[in-house]
Amino acid sequence: KISIDYAVMERTTRAGVLPVSFPWSDVGTWDAVWQVLPQDAAGNAVRGRVELLGTRNSLVHSEGEGLTTVVGLDDVVVVATPDAVLVASKSQSGRVKDLVGVLRSRAHPEADAHRRMYRPWGWYQRVDIGERFQVKRIMVTPGGRLSLQKHHHRAEHWVVVKGTAEVTLGERLVLVHENEAVYLPIGSLHRLTNPGRIPLELIEVQVGSYTGEDDIIRVEDVYGR
């Protein structure tokens, strides 16, 4: 919540300083992002699937497969991601920090949880969620290993779509290949490992009364979590 200057640089005795001269931006706001990106003749900087009409001096960033269109606006920031959309004037884009505080106070999960969450072993991405179920896409890097864990409120189904999974299920060790599945009952001790040389991708279907991330009881974790 504080800058690296105050948190680290002013406190360390293991640093050196050299005089230099070059342009600098800490890219701390969306306005600063617009300044460092290439711009068209109208002063617009765009990324992703974007179409503009009568728009000037704006930043439009679009992630995923969706098309983002902006008509007749000046000096705005539009950031569209699969789980949220931000629209702000460039001059007020620094207030995103204040906005995040409001989102947290109102318990919006988007304040802290992205749709794709990175972990030491790879990442997972929510595909769908509803009452008593959740669907995730999971990628485990070669050699990656999830914690040995169990859940009190949900069972899980893993379907491998790429690579090979080594699944610990209780006392058993099972190899699961592409287009094969394994079922993990509620309360079962389990672990997922990628023993191969290519990324492991699978679809996880959770079914139960609660599918939150805090229903993970870690028994052992090679990453020290």
Side-chain angles (χ1 to χ4, degrees), residues 15-38:
V17 180
L18 293 174
V20 294
S21 177
F22 54 81
W24 171 256
S25 171
D26 61 5
V27 197
T29 66
W30 284 110
D31 183 28
V33 173
W34 170 79
Q35 292 177 23
V36 300
L37 288 178

Side-chain angles (χ1 to χ4, degrees), residues 145-193:
R145 172 176 293 192
L146 279 68
S147 61
L148 184 65
Q149 59 184 251
K150 62 182 178 179
H151 313 291
H152 288 318
H153 302 287
R154 67 175 184 256
E156 295 177 340
H157 304 257
W158 290 343
V159 181
V160 175
V161 296
K162 180 181 178 181
T164 298
E166 183 182 270
V167 179
T168 300
L169 181 54
E171 299 297 324
R172 295 189 297 137
L173 190 64
V174 183
L175 285 180
V176 186
H177 304 284
E178 292 181 6
N179 203 32
E180 295 179 348
V182 62
Y183 171 63
L184 313 169
I186 292 178
S188 63
L189 201 61
H190 60 274
R191 165 179 271 160
L192 175 64
T193 302

Side-chain angles (χ1 to χ4, degrees):
K1 294 182 179 180
I2 60 176
S3 72
I4 189 174
D5 310 47
Y6 297 130
V8 179
M9 303 308 293
E10 292 184 358
R11 298 174 182 271
T12 183
T13 59
R14 303 178 63 186
V17 180
L18 293 174
V20 294
S21 177
F22 54 81
W24 171 256
S25 171
D26 61 5
V27 197
T29 66
W30 284 110
D31 183 28
V33 173
W34 170 79
Q35 292 177 23
V36 300
L37 288 178
Q39 300 167 13
D40 62 18
N44 297 311
V46 301
R47 282 184 168 180
R49 293 191 64 211
V50 174
E51 290 293 340
L52 306 178
L53 182 62
T55 297
R56 300 178 58 83
N57 302 318
S58 297
L59 167 65
V60 184
H61 177 101
S62 182
E63 294 182 6
E65 299 178 357
L67 173 66
T68 300
T69 61
V70 179
V71 179
L73 296 181
D74 294 340
D75 299 304
V76 297
V77 171
V78 178
V79 181
T81 66
D83 60 341
V85 177
L86 167 71
V87 181
S89 68
K90 287 215 311 282
S91 63
Q92 295 290 310
S93 62
R95 299 187 64 191
V96 170
K97 291 182 180 179
D98 300 330
L99 175 62
V100 171
V102 173
L103 296 179
R104 287 193 181 118
S105 70
R106 297 180 180 176
H108 289 288
E110 290 81 2
D112 297 291
H114 299 282
R115 194 175 185 186
R116 176 172 291 189
M117 299 293 289
Y118 289 90
R119 293 292 184 262
W121 44 261
W123 52 259
Y124 69 84
Q125 179 173 319
R126 190 181 73 221
V127 177
D128 196 7
I129 189 170
E131 187 176 356
R132 297 186 61 85
F133 81 90
Q134 182 171 195
V135 182
K136 290 181 178 179
R137 179 184 169 195
I138 298 176
M139 190 282 291
V140 184
T141 57
R145 172 176 293 192
L146 279 68
S147 61
L148 184 65
Q149 59 184 251
K150 62 182 178 179
H151 313 291
H152 288 318
H153 302 287
R154 67 175 184 256
E156 295 177 340
H157 304 257
W158 290 343
V159 181
V160 175
V161 296
K162 180 181 178 181
T164 298
E166 183 182 270
V167 179
T168 300
L169 181 54
E171 299 297 324
R172 295 189 297 137
L173 190 64
V174 183
L175 285 180
V176 186
H177 304 284
E178 292 181 6
N179 203 32
E180 295 179 348
V182 62
Y183 171 63
L184 313 169
I186 292 178
S188 63
L189 201 61
H190 60 274
R191 165 179 271 160
L192 175 64
T193 302
N194 180 0
R197 297 188 177 182
I198 65 173
L200 165 65
E201 295 188 20
L202 56 89
I203 302 299
E204 176 182 87
V205 180
Q206 305 174 359
V207 180
S209 57
Y210 181 69
T211 60
E213 286 301 302
D214 52 352
D215 183 30
I216 298 178
I217 297 88
R218 289 191 175 91
V219 177
E220 179 184 306
D221 183 45
V222 298
Y223 305 107
R225 292 173 296 170

